[in-house]
PDB file of all heavy atoms in Angstrom:
ATOM      1  N   LYS A 879      68.140 143.585  64.895  1.00  0.00           N
ATOM      2  CA  LYS A 879      69.228 144.638  64.922  1.00  0.00           C
ATOM      3  C   LYS A 879      69.730 144.867  63.615  1.00  0.00           C
ATOM      4  O   LYS A 879      70.047 145.997  63.170  1.00  0.00           O
ATOM      5  CB  LYS A 879      70.313 144.078  65.844  1.00  0.00           C
ATOM      6  CG  LYS A 879      71.271 145.269  66.253  1.00  0.00           C
ATOM      7  CD  LYS A 879      72.446 144.577  67.115  1.00  0.00           C
ATOM      8  CE  LYS A 879      73.536 145.672  67.231  1.00  0.00           C
ATOM      9  NZ  LYS A 879      74.792 145.056  67.586  1.00  0.00           N
ATOM     10  N   ARG A 896      73.374 158.461  62.378  1.00  0.00           N
ATOM     11  CA  ARG A 896      73.119 158.053  63.633  1.00  0.00           C
ATOM     12  C   ARG A 896      74.494 157.758  64.387  1.00  0.00           C
ATOM     13  O   ARG A 896      75.349 156.953  63.901  1.00  0.00           O
ATOM     14  CB  ARG A 896      72.325 156.649  63.802  1.00  0.00           C
ATOM     15  CG  ARG A 896      72.106 156.189  65.216  1.00  0.00           C
ATOM     16  CD  ARG A 896      71.285 154.879  65.111  1.00  0.00           C
ATOM     17  NE  ARG A 896      71.342 154.403  66.557  1.00  0.00           N
ATOM     18  CZ  ARG A 896      72.040 153.283  66.911  1.00  0.00           C
ATOM     19  NH1 ARG A 896      72.772 152.678  65.890  1.00  0.00           N
ATOM     20  NH2 ARG A 896      72.078 152.784  68.043  1.00  0.00           N
ATOM     21  N   PRO A 898      76.803 156.088  67.226  1.00  0.00           N
ATOM     22  CA  PRO A 898      76.675 154.746  67.888  1.00  0.00           C
ATOM     23  C   PRO A 898      75.868 154.767  69.219  1.00  0.00           C
ATOM     24  O   PRO A 898      75.203 153.834  69.614  1.00  0.00           O
ATOM     25  CB  PRO A 898      78.005 154.209  68.071  1.00  0.00           C
ATOM     26  CG  PRO A 898      78.891 155.142  67.091  1.00  0.00           C
ATOM     27  CD  PRO A 898      78.157 156.286  66.906  1.00  0.00           C
ATOM     28  N   TRP A 899      76.093 155.942  69.899  1.00  0.00           N
ATOM     29  CA  TRP A 899      75.441 155.977  71.249  1.00  0.00           C
ATOM     30  C   TRP A 899      74.038 156.609  71.241  1.00  0.00           C
ATOM     31  O   TRP A 899      73.468 156.847  72.246  1.00  0.00           O
ATOM     32  CB  TRP A 899      76.282 156.843  72.164  1.00  0.00           C
ATOM     33  CG  TRP A 899      76.757 158.081  71.623  1.00  0.00           C
ATOM     34  CD1 TRP A 899      76.130 159.280  71.764  1.00  0.00           C
ATOM     35  CD2 TRP A 899      77.912 158.435  70.842  1.00  0.00           C
ATOM     36  NE1 TRP A 899      76.781 160.298  71.032  1.00  0.00           N
ATOM     37  CE2 TRP A 899      77.882 159.719  70.570  1.00  0.00           C
ATOM     38  CE3 TRP A 899      79.010 157.569  70.414  1.00  0.00           C
ATOM     39  CZ2 TRP A 899      78.988 160.315  69.810  1.00  0.00           C
ATOM     40  CZ3 TRP A 899      80.002 158.175  69.678  1.00  0.00           C
ATOM     41  CH2 TRP A 899      80.062 159.552  69.425  1.00  0.00           C
ATOM     42  N   ASP A 900      73.505 156.934  70.014  1.00  0.00           N
ATOM     43  CA  ASP A 900      72.191 157.420  70.019  1.00  0.00           C
ATOM     44  C   ASP A 900      71.195 156.352  70.371  1.00  0.00           C
ATOM     45  O   ASP A 900      71.145 155.280  69.715  1.00  0.00           O
ATOM     46  CB  ASP A 900      71.886 158.014  68.569  1.00  0.00           C
ATOM     47  CG  ASP A 900      72.413 159.457  68.359  1.00  0.00           C
ATOM     48  OD1 ASP A 900      72.702 160.029  69.448  1.00  0.00           O
ATOM     49  OD2 ASP A 900      72.568 159.894  67.239  1.00  0.00           O
ATOM     50  N   GLY A 901      70.282 156.684  71.216  1.00  0.00           N
ATOM     51  CA  GLY A 901      69.119 155.767  71.428  1.00  0.00           C
ATOM     52  C   GLY A 901      68.137 155.810  70.247  1.00  0.00           C
ATOM     53  O   GLY A 901      68.111 156.831  69.584  1.00  0.00           O
ATOM     54  N   PRO A 902      67.359 154.768  70.100  1.00  0.00           N
ATOM     55  CA  PRO A 902      66.429 154.731  68.967  1.00  0.00           C
ATOM     56  C   PRO A 902      65.365 155.818  69.021  1.00  0.00           C
ATOM     57  O   PRO A 902      64.936 156.359  68.037  1.00  0.00           O
ATOM     58  CB  PRO A 902      65.849 153.466  69.013  1.00  0.00           C
ATOM     59  CG  PRO A 902      66.045 152.953  70.333  1.00  0.00           C
ATOM     60  CD  PRO A 902      67.351 153.565  70.920  1.00  0.00           C
ATOM     61  N   SER A 903      64.871 156.136  70.178  1.00  0.00           N
ATOM     62  CA  SER A 903      63.800 157.099  70.318  1.00  0.00           C
ATOM     63  C   SER A 903      64.279 158.515  69.977  1.00  0.00           C
ATOM     64  O   SER A 903      63.744 159.302  69.116  1.00  0.00           O
ATOM     65  CB  SER A 903      63.257 157.086  71.620  1.00  0.00           C
ATOM     66  OG  SER A 903      62.419 158.157  71.903  1.00  0.00           O
ATOM     67  N   ASP A 904      65.448 158.948  70.588  1.00  0.00           N
ATOM     68  CA  ASP A 904      66.088 160.194  70.373  1.00  0.00           C
ATOM     69  C   ASP A 904      66.329 160.429  68.847  1.00  0.00           C
ATOM     70  O   ASP A 904      66.155 161.411  68.198  1.00  0.00           O
ATOM     71  CB  ASP A 904      67.339 160.340  71.123  1.00  0.00           C
ATOM     72  CG  ASP A 904      67.189 160.560  72.495  1.00  0.00           C
ATOM     73  OD1 ASP A 904      65.957 160.902  72.858  1.00  0.00           O
ATOM     74  OD2 ASP A 904      67.992 160.631  73.398  1.00  0.00           O
ATOM     75  N   PHE A 905      66.923 159.253  68.306  1.00  0.00           N
ATOM     76  CA  PHE A 905      67.388 159.363  66.893  1.00  0.00           C
ATOM     77  C   PHE A 905      66.155 159.516  66.028  1.00  0.00           C
ATOM     78  O   PHE A 905      66.230 160.338  65.074  1.00  0.00           O
ATOM     79  CB  PHE A 905      68.217 158.087  66.509  1.00  0.00           C
ATOM     80  CG  PHE A 905      68.574 158.060  65.132  1.00  0.00           C
ATOM     81  CD1 PHE A 905      69.399 158.954  64.602  1.00  0.00           C
ATOM     82  CD2 PHE A 905      68.084 157.028  64.267  1.00  0.00           C
ATOM     83  CE1 PHE A 905      69.763 158.966  63.319  1.00  0.00           C
ATOM     84  CE2 PHE A 905      68.544 157.021  63.018  1.00  0.00           C
ATOM     85  CZ  PHE A 905      69.370 158.002  62.426  1.00  0.00           C
ATOM     86  N   TYR A 927      60.662 148.974  65.909  1.00  0.00           N
ATOM     87  CA  TYR A 927      62.042 148.557  66.447  1.00  0.00           C
ATOM     88  C   TYR A 927      62.089 148.540  68.005  1.00  0.00           C
ATOM     89  O   TYR A 927      62.541 147.543  68.567  1.00  0.00           O
ATOM     90  CB  TYR A 927      63.187 149.393  65.909  1.00  0.00           C
ATOM     91  CG  TYR A 927      64.504 149.070  66.433  1.00  0.00           C
ATOM     92  CD1 TYR A 927      65.135 147.977  66.212  1.00  0.00           C
ATOM     93  CD2 TYR A 927      65.178 149.985  67.313  1.00  0.00           C
ATOM     94  CE1 TYR A 927      66.417 147.608  66.664  1.00  0.00           C
ATOM     95  CE2 TYR A 927      66.360 149.719  67.833  1.00  0.00           C
ATOM     96  CZ  TYR A 927      67.041 148.612  67.517  1.00  0.00           C
ATOM     97  OH  TYR A 927      68.231 148.255  68.077  1.00  0.00           O
ATOM     98  N   ILE A 928      61.596 149.671  68.578  1.00  0.00           N
ATOM     99  CA  ILE A 928      61.661 149.752  69.988  1.00  0.00           C
ATOM    100  C   ILE A 928      60.751 148.670  70.631  1.00  0.00           C
ATOM    101  O   ILE A 928      61.217 148.062  71.600  1.00  0.00           O
ATOM    102  CB  ILE A 928      61.091 151.151  70.450  1.00  0.00           C
ATOM    103  CG1 ILE A 928      62.214 152.195  70.082  1.00  0.00           C
ATOM    104  CG2 ILE A 928      60.826 151.061  72.044  1.00  0.00           C
ATOM    105  CD1 ILE A 928      61.771 153.568  70.241  1.00  0.00           C
ATOM    106  N   ARG A 931      62.594 145.309  70.340  1.00  0.00           N
ATOM    107  CA  ARG A 931      63.900 145.156  71.056  1.00  0.00           C
ATOM    108  C   ARG A 931      63.777 145.441  72.481  1.00  0.00           C
ATOM    109  O   ARG A 931      64.494 144.788  73.284  1.00  0.00           O
ATOM    110  CB  ARG A 931      64.852 146.174  70.364  1.00  0.00           C
ATOM    111  CG  ARG A 931      66.273 145.711  70.626  1.00  0.00           C
ATOM    112  CD  ARG A 931      67.108 146.013  69.467  1.00  0.00           C
ATOM    113  NE  ARG A 931      68.558 146.098  69.864  1.00  0.00           N
ATOM    114  CZ  ARG A 931      69.329 145.123  70.040  1.00  0.00           C
ATOM    115  NH1 ARG A 931      68.769 143.941  70.036  1.00  0.00           N
ATOM    116  NH2 ARG A 931      70.546 145.290  70.411  1.00  0.00           N
ATOM    117  N   TYR A 932      62.962 146.305  73.024  1.00  0.00           N
ATOM    118  CA  TYR A 932      62.904 146.577  74.379  1.00  0.00           C
ATOM    119  C   TYR A 932      61.621 146.233  75.032  1.00  0.00           C
ATOM    120  O   TYR A 932      61.597 146.377  76.334  1.00  0.00           O
ATOM    121  CB  TYR A 932      63.204 148.141  74.440  1.00  0.00           C
ATOM    122  CG  TYR A 932      64.557 148.563  73.876  1.00  0.00           C
ATOM    123  CD1 TYR A 932      64.773 149.167  72.773  1.00  0.00           C
ATOM    124  CD2 TYR A 932      65.655 148.163  74.710  1.00  0.00           C
ATOM    125  CE1 TYR A 932      65.967 149.451  72.277  1.00  0.00           C
ATOM    126  CE2 TYR A 932      66.904 148.512  74.242  1.00  0.00           C
ATOM    127  CZ  TYR A 932      67.125 149.210  72.975  1.00  0.00           C
ATOM    128  OH  TYR A 932      68.364 149.485  72.553  1.00  0.00           O
ATOM    129  N   SER A 933      60.477 146.088  74.246  1.00  0.00           N
ATOM    130  CA  SER A 933      59.277 145.908  74.924  1.00  0.00           C
ATOM    131  C   SER A 933      59.124 144.557  75.488  1.00  0.00           C
ATOM    132  O   SER A 933      59.606 143.591  74.961  1.00  0.00           O
ATOM    133  CB  SER A 933      58.155 146.256  73.985  1.00  0.00           C
ATOM    134  OG  SER A 933      56.972 145.590  74.378  1.00  0.00           O
ATOM    135  N   PRO A 934      58.250 144.445  76.544  1.00  0.00           N
ATOM    136  CA  PRO A 934      58.035 143.084  77.047  1.00  0.00           C
ATOM    137  C   PRO A 934      57.099 142.353  76.030  1.00  0.00           C
ATOM    138  O   PRO A 934      57.055 141.127  76.120  1.00  0.00           O
ATOM    139  CB  PRO A 934      57.221 143.267  78.378  1.00  0.00           C
ATOM    140  CG  PRO A 934      56.795 144.719  78.323  1.00  0.00           C
ATOM    141  CD  PRO A 934      57.718 145.433  77.386  1.00  0.00           C
ATOM    142  N   GLU A 935      56.362 143.052  75.155  1.00  0.00           N
ATOM    143  CA  GLU A 935      55.456 142.346  74.177  1.00  0.00           C
ATOM    144  C   GLU A 935      56.129 142.169  72.824  1.00  0.00           C
ATOM    145  O   GLU A 935      55.483 142.411  71.788  1.00  0.00           O
ATOM    146  CB  GLU A 935      54.130 143.200  73.969  1.00  0.00           C
ATOM    147  CG  GLU A 935      53.306 143.242  75.260  1.00  0.00           C
ATOM    148  CD  GLU A 935      53.279 144.552  75.824  1.00  0.00           C
ATOM    149  OE1 GLU A 935      53.448 145.640  75.090  1.00  0.00           O
ATOM    150  OE2 GLU A 935      53.191 144.693  77.118  1.00  0.00           O
TER     151      GLU A 935
ATOM    152  N   HIS B 963      59.706 147.012  82.222  1.00  0.00           N
ATOM    153  CA  HIS B 963      60.496 145.956  81.639  1.00  0.00           C
ATOM    154  C   HIS B 963      61.869 146.479  81.122  1.00  0.00           C
ATOM    155  O   HIS B 963      61.966 147.458  80.491  1.00  0.00           O
ATOM    156  CB  HIS B 963      59.700 145.441  80.361  1.00  0.00           C
ATOM    157  CG  HIS B 963      60.327 144.344  79.647  1.00  0.00           C
ATOM    158  ND1 HIS B 963      60.518 143.141  80.148  1.00  0.00           N
ATOM    159  CD2 HIS B 963      60.937 144.299  78.349  1.00  0.00           C
ATOM    160  CE1 HIS B 963      61.140 142.379  79.243  1.00  0.00           C
ATOM    161  NE2 HIS B 963      61.451 143.120  78.184  1.00  0.00           N
ATOM    162  N   SER B 965      64.681 144.957  78.661  1.00  0.00           N
ATOM    163  CA  SER B 965      64.905 143.759  77.923  1.00  0.00           C
ATOM    164  C   SER B 965      66.457 143.496  77.866  1.00  0.00           C
ATOM    165  O   SER B 965      67.234 144.174  78.415  1.00  0.00           O
ATOM    166  CB  SER B 965      64.511 144.305  76.481  1.00  0.00           C
ATOM    167  OG  SER B 965      65.430 145.129  75.938  1.00  0.00           O
ATOM    168  N   ALA B 967      68.509 143.511  75.558  1.00  0.00           N
ATOM    169  CA  ALA B 967      69.250 144.494  74.685  1.00  0.00           C
ATOM    170  C   ALA B 967      69.604 145.599  75.679  1.00  0.00           C
ATOM    171  O   ALA B 967      70.723 146.155  75.593  1.00  0.00           O
ATOM    172  CB  ALA B 967      68.449 144.872  73.495  1.00  0.00           C
ATOM    173  N   LEU B 968      68.653 146.023  76.389  1.00  0.00           N
ATOM    174  CA  LEU B 968      68.850 147.128  77.286  1.00  0.00           C
ATOM    175  C   LEU B 968      69.920 146.829  78.310  1.00  0.00           C
ATOM    176  O   LEU B 968      70.856 147.616  78.657  1.00  0.00           O
ATOM    177  CB  LEU B 968      67.480 147.650  77.915  1.00  0.00           C
ATOM    178  CG  LEU B 968      67.914 148.890  78.764  1.00  0.00           C
ATOM    179  CD1 LEU B 968      67.431 150.071  78.158  1.00  0.00           C
ATOM    180  CD2 LEU B 968      67.383 148.646  80.269  1.00  0.00           C
ATOM    181  N   ASP B1009      56.235 151.363  79.426  1.00  0.00           N
ATOM    182  CA  ASP B1009      56.324 150.081  80.327  1.00  0.00           C
ATOM    183  C   ASP B1009      57.622 149.404  80.075  1.00  0.00           C
ATOM    184  O   ASP B1009      57.831 148.238  80.314  1.00  0.00           O
ATOM    185  CB  ASP B1009      55.180 149.299  80.203  1.00  0.00           C
ATOM    186  CG  ASP B1009      55.141 148.746  78.706  1.00  0.00           C
ATOM    187  OD1 ASP B1009      55.687 149.374  77.888  1.00  0.00           O
ATOM    188  OD2 ASP B1009      54.247 147.864  78.377  1.00  0.00           O
ATOM    189  N   MET B1010      58.520 150.121  79.355  1.00  0.00           N
ATOM    190  CA  MET B1010      59.879 149.537  79.005  1.00  0.00           C
ATOM    191  C   MET B1010      60.847 150.557  79.140  1.00  0.00           C
ATOM    192  O   MET B1010      60.619 151.697  78.980  1.00  0.00           O
ATOM    193  CB  MET B1010      59.849 148.846  77.615  1.00  0.00           C
ATOM    194  CG  MET B1010      59.612 149.925  76.632  1.00  0.00           C
ATOM    195  SD  MET B1010      59.257 149.251  74.979  1.00  0.00           S
ATOM    196  CE  MET B1010      58.422 150.503  74.211  1.00  0.00           C
ATOM    197  N   VAL B1011      62.077 150.100  79.487  1.00  0.00           N
ATOM    198  CA  VAL B1011      63.209 151.075  79.580  1.00  0.00           C
ATOM    199  C   VAL B1011      63.899 151.186  78.194  1.00  0.00           C
ATOM    200  O   VAL B1011      64.144 150.211  77.466  1.00  0.00           O
ATOM    201  CB  VAL B1011      64.213 150.582  80.652  1.00  0.00           C
ATOM    202  CG1 VAL B1011      65.251 151.668  80.870  1.00  0.00           C
ATOM    203  CG2 VAL B1011      63.552 150.267  81.931  1.00  0.00           C
ATOM    204  N   LEU B1012      64.187 152.358  77.800  1.00  0.00           N
ATOM    205  CA  LEU B1012      64.925 152.592  76.502  1.00  0.00           C
ATOM    206  C   LEU B1012      66.347 153.084  76.900  1.00  0.00           C
ATOM    207  O   LEU B1012      66.554 153.540  77.995  1.00  0.00           O
ATOM    208  CB  LEU B1012      64.288 153.637  75.752  1.00  0.00           C
ATOM    209  CG  LEU B1012      62.966 153.295  75.135  1.00  0.00           C
ATOM    210  CD1 LEU B1012      62.387 154.308  74.201  1.00  0.00           C
ATOM    211  CD2 LEU B1012      62.938 151.823  74.401  1.00  0.00           C
ATOM    212  N   PRO B1013      67.341 152.975  76.051  1.00  0.00           N
ATOM    213  CA  PRO B1013      68.582 153.435  76.245  1.00  0.00           C
ATOM    214  C   PRO B1013      68.569 155.038  76.593  1.00  0.00           C
ATOM    215  O   PRO B1013      69.360 155.451  77.407  1.00  0.00           O
ATOM    216  CB  PRO B1013      69.385 153.201  74.964  1.00  0.00           C
ATOM    217  CG  PRO B1013      68.640 152.143  74.361  1.00  0.00           C
ATOM    218  CD  PRO B1013      67.253 152.138  74.803  1.00  0.00           C
ATOM    219  N   GLU B1014      67.613 155.694  75.984  1.00  0.00           N
ATOM    220  CA  GLU B1014      67.491 157.077  76.253  1.00  0.00           C
ATOM    221  C   GLU B1014      67.142 157.369  77.748  1.00  0.00           C
ATOM    222  O   GLU B1014      67.661 158.444  78.314  1.00  0.00           O
ATOM    223  CB  GLU B1014      66.232 157.638  75.431  1.00  0.00           C
ATOM    224  CG  GLU B1014      66.578 157.906  74.087  1.00  0.00           C
ATOM    225  CD  GLU B1014      66.293 156.713  73.184  1.00  0.00           C
ATOM    226  OE1 GLU B1014      66.232 155.643  73.765  1.00  0.00           O
ATOM    227  OE2 GLU B1014      66.225 156.888  71.896  1.00  0.00           O
ATOM    228  N   GLN B1017      70.356 157.202  79.500  1.00  0.00           N
ATOM    229  CA  GLN B1017      71.161 158.399  79.170  1.00  0.00           C
ATOM    230  C   GLN B1017      70.630 159.641  79.942  1.00  0.00           C
ATOM    231  O   GLN B1017      71.380 160.511  80.323  1.00  0.00           O
ATOM    232  CB  GLN B1017      71.127 158.621  77.576  1.00  0.00           C
ATOM    233  CG  GLN B1017      71.954 157.635  76.976  1.00  0.00           C
ATOM    234  CD  GLN B1017      71.756 157.662  75.441  1.00  0.00           C
ATOM    235  OE1 GLN B1017      70.853 158.347  74.954  1.00  0.00           O
ATOM    236  NE2 GLN B1017      72.513 156.944  74.743  1.00  0.00           N
ATOM    237  N   LEU B1047      78.614 158.222  78.377  1.00  0.00           N
ATOM    238  CA  LEU B1047      77.323 158.189  77.580  1.00  0.00           C
ATOM    239  C   LEU B1047      77.499 158.559  76.090  1.00  0.00           C
ATOM    240  O   LEU B1047      76.772 158.058  75.321  1.00  0.00           O
ATOM    241  CB  LEU B1047      76.311 159.106  78.183  1.00  0.00           C
ATOM    242  CG  LEU B1047      75.997 158.669  79.627  1.00  0.00           C
ATOM    243  CD1 LEU B1047      75.096 159.750  80.340  1.00  0.00           C
ATOM    244  CD2 LEU B1047      75.118 157.381  79.549  1.00  0.00           C
ATOM    245  N   HIS B1048      78.633 159.306  75.790  1.00  0.00           N
ATOM    246  CA  HIS B1048      78.691 159.635  74.385  1.00  0.00           C
ATOM    247  C   HIS B1048      79.774 158.847  73.760  1.00  0.00           C
ATOM    248  O   HIS B1048      80.312 159.280  72.747  1.00  0.00           O
ATOM    249  CB  HIS B1048      79.001 161.146  74.343  1.00  0.00           C
ATOM    250  CG  HIS B1048      77.771 161.975  74.478  1.00  0.00           C
ATOM    251  ND1 HIS B1048      77.399 162.573  75.593  1.00  0.00           N
ATOM    252  CD2 HIS B1048      76.789 162.259  73.532  1.00  0.00           C
ATOM    253  CE1 HIS B1048      76.271 163.243  75.390  1.00  0.00           C
ATOM    254  NE2 HIS B1048      75.865 162.995  74.181  1.00  0.00           N
ATOM    255  N   SER B1049      80.192 157.740  74.261  1.00  0.00           N
ATOM    256  CA  SER B1049      81.055 157.001  73.642  1.00  0.00           C
ATOM    257  C   SER B1049      80.747 155.434  73.509  1.00  0.00           C
ATOM    258  O   SER B1049      81.104 154.687  72.678  1.00  0.00           O
ATOM    259  CB  SER B1049      82.449 157.005  74.289  1.00  0.00           C
ATOM    260  OG  SER B1049      82.369 156.733  75.563  1.00  0.00           O
ATOM    261  N   VAL B1050      79.951 155.125  74.522  1.00  0.00           N
ATOM    262  CA  VAL B1050      79.511 153.703  74.527  1.00  0.00           C
ATOM    263  C   VAL B1050      78.366 153.482  73.587  1.00  0.00           C
ATOM    264  O   VAL B1050      77.386 154.137  73.800  1.00  0.00           O
ATOM    265  CB  VAL B1050      79.137 153.064  75.953  1.00  0.00           C
ATOM    266  CG1 VAL B1050      78.598 151.776  75.975  1.00  0.00           C
ATOM    267  CG2 VAL B1050      80.300 153.253  76.828  1.00  0.00           C
ATOM    268  N   PRO B1051      78.538 152.682  72.506  1.00  0.00           N
ATOM    269  CA  PRO B1051      77.441 152.584  71.474  1.00  0.00           C
ATOM    270  C   PRO B1051      76.267 151.822  72.081  1.00  0.00           C
ATOM    271  O   PRO B1051      76.309 150.897  72.945  1.00  0.00           O
ATOM    272  CB  PRO B1051      78.115 151.745  70.345  1.00  0.00           C
ATOM    273  CG  PRO B1051      79.276 151.118  71.003  1.00  0.00           C
ATOM    274  CD  PRO B1051      79.726 151.855  72.142  1.00  0.00           C
ATOM    275  N   VAL B1052      75.083 152.218  71.656  1.00  0.00           N
ATOM    276  CA  VAL B1052      73.929 151.525  72.026  1.00  0.00           C
ATOM    277  C   VAL B1052      73.852 150.212  71.087  1.00  0.00           C
ATOM    278  O   VAL B1052      73.837 150.328  69.950  1.00  0.00           O
ATOM    279  CB  VAL B1052      72.645 152.368  71.763  1.00  0.00           C
ATOM    280  CG1 VAL B1052      71.414 151.624  71.924  1.00  0.00           C
ATOM    281  CG2 VAL B1052      72.799 153.595  72.616  1.00  0.00           C
ATOM    282  N   PRO B1053      73.773 149.113  71.759  1.00  0.00           N
ATOM    283  CA  PRO B1053      73.782 147.968  71.033  1.00  0.00           C
ATOM    284  C   PRO B1053      72.484 147.694  70.074  1.00  0.00           C
ATOM    285  O   PRO B1053      71.473 148.004  70.581  1.00  0.00           O
ATOM    286  CB  PRO B1053      74.132 146.747  71.965  1.00  0.00           C
ATOM    287  CG  PRO B1053      73.541 147.276  73.305  1.00  0.00           C
ATOM    288  CD  PRO B1053      73.729 148.807  73.221  1.00  0.00           C
TER     289      PRO B1053
END
Side-chain angles (χ1 to χ4, degrees):
Chain A
K879 198 185 165 198
R896 175 179 169 258
W899 51 87
D900 275 343
S903 169
D904 282 353
F905 178 61
Y927 173 68
I928 287 170
R931 202 147 158 75
Y932 296 105
S933 157
E935 294 110 29
Chain B
H963 181 70
S965 69
L968 181 104
D1009 60 348
M1010 58 188 160
V1011 187
L1012 293 186
E1014 283 87 342
Q1017 288 168 350
L1047 292 173
H1048 281 97
S1049 58
V1050 175
V1052 175

